Amino acid sequence: MTRLIFLGPPGAGKGTQAQALAEHLNIPHISTGEILRQAMKEQTPLGIKAQNYVNSGELVPDQLVQDLVQERLNQPDAENGWILDGFPRKVTQVAFLEELLEKIHQSGERVVNLDAPDDVVVARLLTRGRKDDNEEVIRRRLEVYRDETAPLIDYYRDRQKLLTVNGNQSQEEVTSELRKIIA
């Protein structure tokens, strides 16, 4: 069973690669951003709570994101494996995830760190053309990522669960490398 957590800076290609690998392995790609959008669209109780934060411009609290992740990992299609993209984002969320996986009898997760240099990531994000993506904002997001998420890389490396892939290659090369190390 394949259970993967994708880490990497914004613009490293996590979503694209996670989706391609999930399709290849026939397991769900679970993006916390997508879970939030879906829950709000379906007006689930958690989605309604999340919508209130989003509407007021606030970040959705950890507890709510954790509840959504728990709800999603308990769905039948996630029993045989999954790729988590966007969670955990910080060390405090790792403890929650480890307890949850133990509780629902899912273990053996590995962590893929899709790494790419800041200048490459900035260039990619600028070409995406989102209106909120200017260089200053992107560099700030990278700073936040390095501060909050980078400690996860050390955490998982210390536990021999970390696989690092060079995200500064063509999309096809990254996909090929991922398939080799996951096989």
Side-chain angles (χ1 to χ4, degrees), residues 144-155:
V144 170
Y145 168 78
R146 302 273 183 232
D147 290 346
E148 288 190 1
T149 309
L152 293 176
I153 294 166
D154 294 333
Y155 178 88

Side-chain angles (χ1 to χ4, degrees), residues 107-123:
S107 61
E109 77 282 0
R110 291 181 289 168
V111 180
V112 174
N113 178 32
L114 201 55
D115 200 22
D118 285 2
D119 290 340
V120 169
V121 168
V122 169

Side-chain angles (χ1 to χ4, degrees), residues 85-105:
D85 168 13
F87 190 87
R89 282 191 188 264
K90 41 192 165 179
V91 176
T92 54
Q93 294 173 338
V94 172
F96 162 80
L97 183 60
E98 289 176 349
E99 286 172 24
L100 171 63
L101 294 176
E102 195 173 306
K103 189 165 78 177
I104 62 176
H105 309 292

Side-chain angles (χ1 to χ4, degrees), residues 19 34 42 99 101 167:
Q19 188 60 46
E34 193 53 45
E42 293 173 5
E99 286 172 24
L101 294 176

